[in-house]
Amino acid sequence: MTKACVIGWPIKHSRSPMIHGFWLHKYGIEGGYEKVAVSPDDLPDFLNNLAANGFSGCNVTVPHKEQAFKLAHELHDEARAVQAANTLWLAGGKLHATNTDIYGFMTHLDQSAPGWNAKQRPVALLGAGGAARAILYGLLQRGASDVRIFNRTKERAVKLASFYEKGVRVVDWQNRDEGLEDCGLVVNTTTLGMSGSPPLDLSLNKLPNDSVVADIVYVPLETPLLAAARQKGCRVVDGLGMLLHQAVPGFERWFGVRPQVTTELRDLIVADLGE
Ligand SMILES: NC(=O)c1ccc[n+]([C@@H]2O[C@H](COP(=O)([O-])OP(=O)(O)OC[C@H]3O[C@@H](n4cnc5c(N)ncnc54)[C@H](OP(=O)(O)O)[C@@H]3O)[C@@H](O)[C@H]2O)c1
């Protein structure tokens, strides 16, 4: 029986077992997907013994994404671009690593805001952490040529921007309201707005009404940012779709079936989030 897992520290709140469990059942696959708490100290041993422990691969979450990238033997383009891995699998005795957050975000954006075009107007990216790195890469791949990065800690934004020769510029966090002028897309990748975190203080007054606003926070599903954007008439993209779609490539690698992200799956996770 093929088995995969998600590892993190802590791992209790991961929804990945629910997503993969849904697909295993739906496609009648005799496989397993578990969550395993792995401490940072234990990560090298765990990954070295993945096959011995009966796993074909795993998802990797906080705080292991960068370390997993370093420990893998075969790095795929997306993992290299983001310098972090969230999906690992064994092939030919080697541990392969990729980053499916890029695919997850872009696929959900395409589905939720059809016709949106990265090349047409500037993009405002709030945050410069791990998720921002993945999303920035995805946007540049699609031809975005004016991405404005706003981050509380400016040096982190400068470092992120420095990976690219063009198409990215850093704007002071304090100037985020004005910085939305002319933007066709706003993406919040900070933790602000997440339940238990402070709200994101951002005025959408300068943002054109026909823009798209995405928030990758998914608890709550409708963040105050998305509620404000909806009220303004903007198209909104929630964070749950990214979570669901990022799981697709891993499932296909481990279990050999490309799964569908359906309303039924989404409803199951929404119910679990308590919405
Ligand atoms: N939907 C999905 O599938 C998905 C996938 C990945 C992540 N996420 C969510 O995305 C968020 C970010 O994840 P990550 O892995 O990128 O985290 P991270 O690397 O820790 O980055 C956190 C970001 O939030 C900013 N931030 C935190 N507290 C702030 C505050 N009080 N004021 C202003 N900025 C603040 C940080 O700014 P500084 O640099 O100044 O600290 C940084 O830019 C989390 O909520 C996570 O759950 C969702």
Side-chain angles (χ1 to χ4, degrees), residues 78-139:
E78 291 78 6
R80 273 188 211 285
V82 182
Q83 303 276 297
N86 73 342
T87 303
L88 307 177
W89 67 98
L90 290 163
K94 290 191 168 165
L95 186 61
H96 290 243
T98 192
N99 191 309
T100 66
D101 280 340
I102 305 157
Y103 168 84
F105 177 78
M106 297 309 302
T107 304
H108 183 49
L109 176 62
D110 290 342
Q111 289 185 0
S112 307
W116 173 79
N117 184 340
K119 295 175 186 162
Q120 272 167 357
R121 284 189 284 172
V123 176
L125 184 66
L126 298 155
R133 256 189 290 163
I135 290 170
L136 176 60
Y137 176 75
L139 293 170

Side-chain angles (χ1 to χ4, degrees), residues 78-255:
E78 291 78 6
R80 273 188 211 285
V82 182
Q83 303 276 297
N86 73 342
T87 303
L88 307 177
W89 67 98
L90 290 163
K94 290 191 168 165
L95 186 61
H96 290 243
T98 192
N99 191 309
T100 66
D101 280 340
I102 305 157
Y103 168 84
F105 177 78
M106 297 309 302
T107 304
H108 183 49
L109 176 62
D110 290 342
Q111 289 185 0
S112 307
W116 173 79
N117 184 340
K119 295 175 186 162
Q120 272 167 357
R121 284 189 284 172
V123 176
L125 184 66
L126 298 155
R133 256 189 290 163
I135 290 170
L136 176 60
Y137 176 75
L139 293 170
L140 292 173
Q141 286 281 95
R142 291 292 188 88
S145 58
D146 182 5
V147 182
R148 304 168 183 171
I149 306 181
F150 306 81
N151 195 52
R152 176 183 59 176
T153 310
K154 190 172 179 181
E155 304 80 65
R156 213 172 170 196
V158 170
K159 188 166 178 219
L160 176 57
S162 74
F163 288 113
Y164 300 97
E165 280 174 9
K166 52 182 184 161
V168 187
R169 62 187 161 117
V170 175
V171 183
D172 285 345
W173 178 244
Q174 298 87 290
N175 297 336
R176 58 194 182 281
D177 294 348
E178 296 75 35
L180 300 190
E181 191 157 13
D182 302 330
C183 284
L185 173 69
V186 180
V187 188
N188 175 43
T189 74
T190 73
T191 51
L192 297 172
M194 189 167 83
S195 102
S197 295
L200 170 63
D201 181 9
L202 181 71
S203 161
L204 301 182
N205 286 345
K206 296 270 182 194
L207 187 71
N209 291 345
D210 61 347
S211 303
V212 176
V213 177
D215 201 332
I216 68 163
V217 167
Y218 57 89
V219 184
L221 195 53
E222 176 98 339
T223 60
L225 171 66
L226 294 186
R230 200 185 290 282
Q231 191 149 30
K232 193 179 158 65
C234 295
R235 287 191 285 174
V236 303
V237 182
D238 68 41
L240 180 56
M242 175 179 175
L243 180 77
L244 300 177
H245 284 285
Q246 63 76 33
V248 169
F251 188 91
E252 185 179 21
R253 288 272 180 203
W254 307 316
F255 302 112

